[in-house]
Amino acid sequence: MLKRYLLAPGPTPVPSEVLLSMALPIIHHRSADFLPVLDSAKKGLQWLFQTKNDVLILCSTGTGGMVGSVNNFFNKGEKVLVVNGGKFGERWTKICQTYGLDVEELVVEWGYTVKPEIIEEKLKKNPNIKGVFIQACETSTGVYHDIETIGNIVKNYADTIFIVDAISALVAHDIRTDEWNIDILVGGSQKGFMLPPGLAFVSVSEKAWKKNENSKMERFYFNFKKERENLAKNQTNFTSPVTLIIGLNEAIKLLQKEGLENVFRRHRRLAHATREAVKSIGLNLYSKESPSNSVTAVEAPIGIDGQLIYKTLREKYGVTAAGGQDRAKGKIFRLAHLGYSDIFDIIVGISAVEMVLKSLGYPVELGKGVAKVQELMM
Ligand SMILES: *Cc1c(COP(=O)(O)O)cnc(C)c1O
């Protein structure tokens, strides 16, 4: 028997309370049974997003939320700035280009954060930039960008909105949508929310809704204005993913019981312990600046293929972490500490990494990283 441990940056493990809540019989989405369910999910999401804005609930993966954040607010040919510091930054560029936007890319070296001053310079120089797109956590590199500072820059430009993909950052990071002037914040159920894949969440500010009025792009499924009107009636535009929304309420209940501050603190501590443990066995972090609290990207030792580490972890020990993507493929592996994660997930991950590295010929003193985690978490 190979018992499985899920330590990937999405999908992430789902607590039994949430799984059981989703095992109940299906209810009808237009019935009176469902209205309070959606009402509660709506309010729970506002609490988690730290916002008074509407938080739309979409039946799609996170990328659906990203697509809607482009084609509901812009017009063909409009200029936007995309921060591209990894695979997911690149996704913003591809989506914007698919819809005919004029994309200026701010390319950031993988493993580094964007300098907010550069964004400010670009906005000053080019008043035609109508949107700034970024990731909170760039999952491919494990880097967390300084969303707060950038939000406070973009707010000074009346016709420019700030769009943040926080799909892998929400729940692990304290992201203050309203206080930091984030116009659009995108989340996804299979990351920090402790849910299966299938829901995207998008908060939209009044500044962004104004821009929505002038956006003439083609859209049918992701029509945010219609979703907003439905949300006001505790409905969604099409059939609601009732099961996942029931699970969402259960997950939010668990997070509320823990308290938002404690949720962030737990992720901070787990991320810190993971980083110190890998360093203690002589490995380097791939994130050279601002490593995130969601996922730790680790450089494979010289001469050892990062993909082999990832594959051996899974095949020999049942531990599903993540490899590298694109240009980082083979060079890194990634361990997530996101959502339903605690000290023993980290211990499982680090001990398996030690065993795999030793079997691949890397000189590791078994238990050194594990002891580091124990020390730091006690
Ligand atoms: C996981 C992830 C996504 C969305 O991926 P889906 O497969 O569409 O859910 C987008 N951005 C980031 C930063 C992610 O980590």
Side-chain angles (χ1 to χ4, degrees), residues 9 61-64 66 88 91 135 137 139 165 167-168 190-191:
T61 70
T63 305
M66 295 172 76
F88 292 98
R91 186 168 300 179
Q135 271 59 45
C137 167
T139 321
D165 161 8
I167 293 170
S168 65
Q190 82 277 26
K191 306 283 169 105

Side-chain angles (χ1 to χ4, degrees), residues 158-215:
D159 298 327
T160 308
I161 56 173
F162 185 36
I163 303 109
V164 180
D165 161 8
I167 293 170
S168 65
L170 272 161
V171 180
H173 284 269
D174 184 0
I175 298 182
R176 307 187 178 183
T177 305
D178 290 355
E179 204 180 311
W180 299 355
N181 304 287
I182 301 167
D183 294 301
I184 298 175
L185 189 71
V186 188
S189 56
Q190 82 277 26
K191 306 283 169 105
F193 289 85
M194 312 188 288
L195 288 165
L199 295 178
F201 313 112
V202 188
S203 76
V204 182
S205 73
E206 282 310 318
K207 186 176 173 185
W209 283 124
K210 282 222 182 74
K211 226 173 138 29
N212 168 261
E213 285 170 22
N214 300 317
S215 164

